[in-house]
Amino acid sequence: MKKLQVVYMLFMFSGFLISMASAHQDESFTSRATAGMFEEMYDYFKYSPAYMPGFERNALWSQLSNMYSQGDQMFDGTSSPSYFIAAQNDLMGMGRLGVAIDFLNLVSPVENLNYEAPDSHMGFGEQTTERYLDTDGDEIIDLKREGYSKGEATDYYSASDIYVAFGMGNISGFDLGIGVRGGWESYNPTYTANHPYFGGLYSDPVMSFDREARVRDYDLLTGQELYRFDESATGSMSLASSTWRLILSGRSRELMPGLDVVLNAAPVLYNVTNDYESEFRMSENSSPADPMLSNEQSVVVTDEGCELGLTFPLLGELYGYSKPASGFGVDTDLRLDTDVAGVHLTGWAGYYTLGFTYQDAKRDVDMREHFRGMNWFVGVPVIETYDTQSHYNYAWDGSGGESDILARVRVQIPFQGWRLGLGIGGNIANSNWEETLDWSVSMSQRFFRDNSDPADDFNYRIAAHEKYKIKYDTTDYNLDLPVGIVIDVLKNFALQVGARHRIAQSVINQSRDIVETEIPETLITYDDGLQYGGVQSPWTNLSGQIGGTPDAMNSFSRVTVSHSTNLYYGISWWPFEQVQVEMYGLGYLQELWQYHVSVNLYY
């Protein structure tokens, strides 16, 4: 026993040095297996610090407790890349202190180099190839192709959560508790797609990347270089978010005869950051013997908060993530427990709200292209030159919020050898945001034909601007009808069965209204002095909408209704007074690899 307490105190000290948030389960195996109709100490511990003074034993929940996602399957060797530990302990009669910490670190190498299928690499890869080809079909090898490419690709995701709680009992008839809960998650991916020579431009440039590739073709008979290709791309992306709560809680067991009341109130702080930068360069020459002939491209992207589904030439469609934002909210809930004629009644009510604003979300894209090559003009070969510069600028500002209202009632009825739990509950969750998107584009191009005729040479310019408001609102209505049964087979062994039927309705409303628009104006100036100008009508803006017309206003509403039923099974076994073993996911009794196991220590 003393050894356990020493280990626990060391853990408690280290817990204050490591603060970190996550996507985990805040319920015990018993609660999950019975659809929330019955609870264990862990459920009360995570629900409110004010429950801790009422605990009669200390507890230690470790990695074996399988509380992070409850997805670990011990007999199958399947587990999440997470670390979890939690405990609560009496402080020599001065109150109880509890800490729960979990970490999730996920590093997933993805297929990055696919120089020529089916060859590929994972993580970091480097490849050199040498191929001999028959280009004219006469069954004689006449071309040597040398290739080289390297790059790396890894998706790194980490999430962590810390919960520190302290509770003191019998203060003027109340049990009081205070807690801090929060943490953050971060996403730093790297990704490398195929280069243009073997399958198009970057299909997902939002990922970070660092790569280069080159191709050389040689005539085997003359040794002359026939083709040259070089490409390099670098980029970085980072996404991070954090949420923190300061939990203030109180419990009264004597406010009214037979009524147990618990109240939690917590201010919420929220923050999201997002940065993305990339640079892409490509040069191609189909006549290396003539250094004047070439095709060169470069794209530079700077991003602070991406918008979903924007399409750019050369880049394709950019899929972004949350815009930089910060917010403040409040999370409150109330729980009532009482016994009536041997039946235990529990009621919950809660309200959560969070508001946030965007922080200078923007995107800048600068593209340049130089092309000089051979073309036929009026039956005569001539050299043509294109120099193109394009700049795209996006800026967002806006605000939004989310809220959730819930209410639940549960009845627990004891029988000889078994217990029945029935409940009904529902919640209404709303999220909404409104933003203003202001974008502009400018492009200039110089065309020159080497035929000494100024009437063929010209400068081309185009500019456009648009500003519109987007409003999005979604409301989810959920009604749950859970039922759970615990069968006490032996004094230390119980079977658990639960079911939850849910009726859900989702209502989505979206509108897009143009505030300002400037239809693209073009100006073409030839070297002989002639000018042509005009307006594109109709024209398509960068977001794929028809600009300057009512078609650009994209508004819709949608209502969906669904019914679902989930079934749960589990067992709870106390082989010793201090050890609890729970199993969940017993689809087939003989298929042990499907079992989810939880082992908890009490002392």
Side-chain angles (χ1 to χ4, degrees), residues 49 82-83 97 164 218 256 271 312 314 362 383 496 547 558 582 586:
S82 61
Y83 176 76
L97 180 65
V164 179
Y218 299 94
M256 294 178 60
N271 185 69
F312 295 94
L314 295 181
K362 59 185 178 181
I383 302 298
Q496 303 161 340
R558 183 174 64 216
E582 294 184 289
L586 315 180

Side-chain angles (χ1 to χ4, degrees), residues 81-94:
S82 61
Y83 176 76
F84 171 86
I85 192 167
Q88 63 81 23
N89 200 89
D90 176 63
L91 297 180
M92 295 177 290
M94 296 184 296

Side-chain angles (χ1 to χ4, degrees), residues 149-314:
S149 72
K150 73 173 183 178
E152 63 178 300
T154 305
D155 287 329
Y156 176 77
Y157 173 82
S158 66
S160 45
D161 178 88
I162 183 171
Y163 172 61
V164 179
F166 175 75
M168 294 185 65
N170 197 22
I171 300 177
S172 299
F174 293 89
D175 294 343
L176 302 180
I178 185 171
V180 175
R181 182 167 188 182
W184 56 87
E185 59 181 345
S186 62
Y187 180 44
N188 300 97
T190 64
Y191 178 79
T192 305
N194 303 337
H195 58 66
Y197 193 71
F198 293 109
L201 292 156
Y202 290 94
S203 59
D204 196 353
V206 164
M207 299 298 186
S208 307
F209 45 83
D210 184 3
R211 61 154 295 124
E212 67 176 271
R214 63 175 177 264
V215 177
R216 301 290 186 269
D217 286 352
Y218 299 94
D219 189 313
L220 283 179
L221 299 179
T222 65
Q224 181 180 2
E225 186 178 5
L226 302 177
Y227 177 81
R228 177 181 298 177
F229 174 90
D230 292 277
E231 177 196 277
S232 66
T234 59
S236 64
M237 173 192 167
S238 63
L239 169 68
S241 64
S242 63
T243 304
W244 291 93
R245 286 173 168 82
L246 175 62
I247 306 169
L248 305 175
S249 61
R251 179 187 184 191
S252 173
R253 309 185 214 185
E254 301 177 355
L255 189 63
M256 294 178 60
L259 183 64
D260 190 334
V261 181
V262 176
L263 176 64
N264 294 323
V268 182
L269 297 177
Y270 169 77
N271 185 69
V272 173
T273 60
N274 184 352
D275 296 293
Y276 170 69
E277 296 180 359
S278 70
E279 184 173 326
F280 166 80
R281 298 187 183 279
M282 185 273 287
S283 65
E284 186 178 27
N285 195 330
S286 56
S287 301
D290 185 354
M292 298 298 293
L293 303 181
S294 63
N295 179 13
E296 299 177 355
Q297 297 177 358
S298 70
V299 179
V300 179
V301 180
T302 302
D303 216 332
E304 296 180 11
C306 300
E307 175 75 3
L308 294 175
L310 295 177
T311 303
F312 295 94
L314 295 181

